[in-house]
């Protein structure tokens, strides 16, 4: 296991109350210089999310302006789409789910009112990333996948929609969401973290609610790397935190700089990191 002591002691401390002096692009460039090839591959799981979003953009609008924060260039993604449309041959250099999504999900369903390509490709992305060989990174994607399903199910219920139509994938949590009618889908009894999420969802302000969810994830990352601050897991966690900050800054420069201190302290006092993700 590689030790990234020099890398992690050389970057500025990152806190949620203000942007760090290290930009997302700068840290990524530093990782390209310092990480082993095997560990670069682990970080690529995080960058792949942006590739998925870019694929959707190009399928819908071939001349769309892309946010190039993924693993692939615009030219590579356009070539992927062309090859996937023109043949059923295996396309080298890309995760298999990407051409499969284009061929068997997007093209047959394009234009259908009940088809949401963003949801479909993200389900494939999470299923792929949850199989990452690194235990902590795999758990990170599992946590996000389950959180997304819980949030989606609650929104569907509030709007009187059939919850099972909106929940993606299959695992113990999705099975309970689809079959249970209680307020928390009876998940709190089995998963401590669901109780913490339910409290967050009681927040009226949508911006604060979303920030509390990010703060919950931030604390989860802290717990995971507490004893391994110079590991590839710590590098991955730092990258995830920079990505959260970048997202808020892009949504609204002012709101992106709003303090997270109060939220973090509240969560430290009342939230428990999911035990299933700590073990």
């Amino acid at each position: 296991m590689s030790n990234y002591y020099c890398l992690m002691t050389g970057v500025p401390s990152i806190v949620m109350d203000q942007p760090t002096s290290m930009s997302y692009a700068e840290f990524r460039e530093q990782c390209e210089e310092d990480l082993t090839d095997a560990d670069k591959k682990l970080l690529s799981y995080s960058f792949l999310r942006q590739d998925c979003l870019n694929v959707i953009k190009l399928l819908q609008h071939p001349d769309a302006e892309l946010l190039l924060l993924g693993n692939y260039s615009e030219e590579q993604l356009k070539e992927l789409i062309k090859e996937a449309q023109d043949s059923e041959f295996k396309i080298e250099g890309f995760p298999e789910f990407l051409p499969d999504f284009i061929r068997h999900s997007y093209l047959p369903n394009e234009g259908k009112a009940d088809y949401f390509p963003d949801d479909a490709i993200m389900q494939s992305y999470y299923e792929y990333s949850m199989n990452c060989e690194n235990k902590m990174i795999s758990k990170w994607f599992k946590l996000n996948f389950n959180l997304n399903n819980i949030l989606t199910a609650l929104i569907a219920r509030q709007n009187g929609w059939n919850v099972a139509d909106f929940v993606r994938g299959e695992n113990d949590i999705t099975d309970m969401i689809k079959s249970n009618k209680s307020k928390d889908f009876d998940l709190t009894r089995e998963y401590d973290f669901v109780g913490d999420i339910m409290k967050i969802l009681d927040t009226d302000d949508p911006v604060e609610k979303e920030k509390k969810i990010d703060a919950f994830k931030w604390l989860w990352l802290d717990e995971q790397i507490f004893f391994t601050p110079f590991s590839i897991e710590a590098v991955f966690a730092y990258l995830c935190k920079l990505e959260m900050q970048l997202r808020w800054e892009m949504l609204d420069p002012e709101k992106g700089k709003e303090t997270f201190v109060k939220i973090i302290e509240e969560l430290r006092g009342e939230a428990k990191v999911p035990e299933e993700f700590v073990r």
Side-chain angles (χ1 to χ4, degrees):
M1 180 181 294
S2 299
N3 185 302
Y4 296 109
Y5 176 84
C6 291
L7 173 63
M8 297 311 295
T9 56
V11 297
S13 298
I14 182 169
V15 291
M16 291 192 76
D17 63 324
Q18 59 184 8
T20 181
S21 58
M22 170 70 73
S23 72
Y24 183 86
E26 289 171 337
F27 184 67
R28 181 170 178 174
E29 183 177 349
Q30 191 66 51
C31 289
E32 282 294 320
E33 295 177 4
D34 294 353
L35 268 58
T36 66
D37 288 342
D39 286 344
K40 289 177 186 177
K41 182 180 178 181
L42 293 177
L43 289 197
S44 74
Y45 283 90
S46 177
F47 305 140
L48 184 58
R49 183 179 185 277
Q50 186 61 51
D51 292 315
C52 291
L53 299 177
N54 284 339
V55 165
I56 296 295
K57 283 186 177 181
L58 290 174
L59 284 167
Q60 296 176 332
H61 306 285
D63 296 324
E65 184 176 347
L66 304 182
L67 185 61
L68 295 175
L69 297 176
N71 295 301
Y72 306 104
S73 67
E74 181 175 344
E75 291 73 21
Q76 288 174 311
L77 293 178
K78 286 183 175 179
E79 184 62 25
L80 163 68
I81 292 171
K82 183 178 184 302
E83 290 189 36
Q85 291 172 327
D86 292 346
S87 76
E88 283 289 332
F89 292 116
K90 182 177 180 180
I91 301 176
E92 301 293 339
F94 295 91
E96 191 172 351
F97 80 86
L98 280 176
D100 282 352
F101 164 78
I102 296 168
R103 292 165 174 158
H104 306 304
S105 179
Y106 186 83
L107 293 178
N109 295 289
E110 183 180 7
K112 293 183 180 179
D114 59 347
Y115 177 67
F116 303 97
D118 296 72
D119 290 346
I121 199 170
M122 291 313 296
Q123 178 183 342
S124 296
Y125 164 65
Y126 279 117
E127 289 173 347
Y128 172 80
S129 299
M130 285 188 289
N131 286 317
C132 172
E133 58 271 25
N134 181 281
K135 184 177 180 181
M136 176 266 189
I137 295 175
S138 174
K139 289 193 295 182
W140 166 251
F141 288 110
K142 181 179 179 183
L143 174 67
N144 280 272
F145 180 77
N146 286 330
L147 282 175
N148 289 343
N149 268 326
I150 292 169
L151 296 171
T152 299
L154 290 169
I155 292 171
R157 175 181 284 177
Q158 289 169 0
N159 286 278
W161 304 329
N162 182 16
V163 170
D165 291 340
F166 295 88
V167 174
R168 305 298 179 188
E170 296 182 3
N171 59 27
D172 291 342
I173 287 182
T174 57
D175 289 346
M176 292 178 71
I177 290 174
K178 292 175 183 178
S179 62
N180 198 284
K181 304 299 182 183
S182 63
K183 180 180 178 181
D184 65 348
F185 307 102
D186 208 26
L187 291 170
T188 304
R189 180 170 56 84
E190 298 289 337
Y191 305 95
D192 289 341
F193 81 101
V194 176
D196 302 321
I197 294 301
M198 297 298 288
K199 292 177 184 177
I200 291 174
L201 295 178
D202 286 336
T203 305
D204 293 328
D205 182 83
V207 174
E208 184 180 3
K209 183 185 299 183
E210 189 166 356
K211 286 187 175 183
K212 282 187 174 183
I213 293 171
D214 274 359
F216 178 86
K217 295 177 182 179
W218 191 289
L219 291 178
W220 185 90
L221 290 168
D222 285 344
E223 288 284 341
Q224 294 295 308
I225 64 169
F226 186 81
F227 295 109
T228 56
F230 310 118
S231 61
I232 181 56
E233 290 82 4
V235 175
F236 183 86
Y238 194 93
L239 181 75
C240 291
K241 292 175 179 181
L242 284 176
E243 186 177 18
M244 287 185 215
Q245 289 190 334
L246 176 64
R247 181 170 64 89
W248 281 105
E249 291 171 19
M250 292 176 62
L251 288 172
D252 187 314
E254 292 305 315
K255 289 186 181 298
K257 295 177 183 177
E258 289 179 356
T259 180
F260 284 90
V261 173
K262 181 179 178 182
I263 293 173
I264 279 286
E265 291 307 315
E266 288 176 355
L267 288 175
R268 286 195 195 281
E270 64 188 40
K272 295 179 180 178
V273 174
E275 291 184 3
E276 63 166 314
F277 299 112
V278 175
R279 290 192 293 267

